[in-house]
Amino acid sequence: MEDQELIQQLQQGNLEAFDQAYKKYAPTMLTIAYTFMRDKDDAADVVQDCFATLLNKPQLWKSIRDIRWYLMRMVQNQCLGVIRKRDLQQQKDEVFQYYNKSASEDISLPDPYNNVNPQEKENKVVSWLGSLSPQRKRAMELVYQQELSYQEAALKMGISKQSVKTHLRYAKQILKSKMTIIAIAVTSILVFG
C-alpha cells in the first residue's frame, strides 16, 4: 500500500492500516531511536510510545502529509524528551544528594560537630527545613522529595516555573548559611573554650 493510500486509511480509523504502518515503519523508527537512546529496550519503548500516541489520538493522522517524515520527527522528539527528563532527574538527584550530604554530614565542620549523634544531625536538618517559608519548604518537598519537575511543582503550587526555581535557590542559600553559622559557632567554642 502506498503512503498516501495508507494515510487515507489511517484517517478513516482503519486498524489494519495502522498495523501495516507499524510493520512498515517500526524498523526504521527503532534505528533512529537507538541512535539517540543507545539502548535497544529504551528505543523500543520510544517507538511503542509514539505508535500508542497515534493509536490513542486518531485526530493526529489528519495533519500528516508525509508519514515517514512525521514518524521520524515524532521518534526524534520523543527521544529528546526522554533524554531531557533523564538529565533533569539526574541533576535533581545530584543537587539533592549534595545538599542532603552537606546538611546531614557536612564534612567541612569541625570534628566535635561530626561526632554528634546522627539522629541529632537529622533533627537539626529537619528544624532548618522547618524554618523555611511555607513556599520554599513546599518547593523543596515537591522537587526533591516527591521528585516532581519544576513545571509540575509550579502547577501544584499555583506559581510559575521560574518562581519555583527562585524559591529553591533561596532555600538552598538559607540552609547553607545555617550550616555556616553552626560551623562558626562550633569553631569558636573550640578556639575560645
Side-chain angles (χ1 to χ4, degrees):
M1 187 181 297
E2 294 296 318
D3 283 354
Q4 290 306 318
E5 185 181 344
L6 187 61
I7 290 172
Q8 288 173 348
Q9 293 292 317
L10 290 166
Q11 289 173 345
Q12 294 170 5
N14 184 336
L15 291 179
E16 288 180 28
F18 184 84
D19 288 340
Q20 284 185 336
Y22 184 82
K23 288 175 186 172
K24 184 175 182 179
Y25 292 106
T28 305
M29 301 307 107
L30 280 168
T31 303
I32 293 168
Y34 182 77
T35 60
F36 283 94
M37 305 306 293
R38 298 289 182 207
D39 181 90
K40 288 180 182 178
D41 293 333
D42 289 344
D45 288 345
V46 165
V47 171
Q48 285 185 356
D49 287 347
C50 289
F51 277 101
T53 299
L54 290 169
L55 184 62
N56 292 325
K57 296 181 179 178
Q59 68 274 17
L60 291 176
W61 290 110
K62 293 179 179 155
S63 63
I64 298 174
R65 300 290 172 247
D66 181 346
I67 190 170
R68 185 174 187 276
W69 181 87
Y70 187 89
L71 291 172
M72 287 174 36
R73 229 25 182 155
M74 187 178 194
V75 167
Q76 179 184 8
N77 290 338
Q78 181 76 9
C79 288
L80 292 174
V82 169
I83 291 167
R84 272 192 298 272
K85 190 172 183 177
R86 280 186 190 163
D87 290 346
L88 180 62
Q89 187 59 47
Q90 183 179 359
Q91 288 172 357
K92 283 186 196 178
D93 290 345
E94 288 171 2
V95 168
F96 181 71
Q97 288 173 1
Y98 171 78
Y99 283 102
N100 191 28
K101 183 177 180 180
S102 296
S104 63
E105 296 176 5
D106 199 291
I107 296 169
S108 66
L109 293 179
D111 284 341
Y113 184 77
N114 288 332
N115 292 331
V116 171
N117 175 336
Q119 184 61 42
E120 289 179 44
K121 283 185 191 179
E122 187 176 329
N123 291 342
K124 183 56 81 177
V125 171
V126 168
S127 74
W128 289 344
L129 289 172
S131 70
L132 296 174
S133 72
Q135 287 283 73
R136 291 177 185 156
K137 184 177 178 182
R138 181 78 172 137
M140 294 285 284
E141 289 171 354
L142 291 173
V143 173
Y144 295 118
Q145 289 178 327
Q146 295 182 21
E147 299 180 352
L148 298 180
S149 69
Y150 294 135
Q151 187 62 43
E152 291 168 332
L155 288 173
K156 281 203 173 216
M157 294 176 71
I159 58 177
S160 71
K161 179 179 168 182
Q162 188 57 45
S163 293
V164 169
K165 289 180 178 181
T166 302
H167 284 303
L168 291 172
R169 186 176 68 244
Y170 286 132
K172 291 172 195 174
Q173 289 173 350
I174 290 168
L175 293 175
K176 189 174 181 179
S177 69
K178 288 184 181 286
M179 290 177 3
T180 303
I181 290 168
I182 294 294
I184 292 169
V186 169
T187 303
S188 66
I189 289 170
L190 290 173
V191 173
F192 299 111

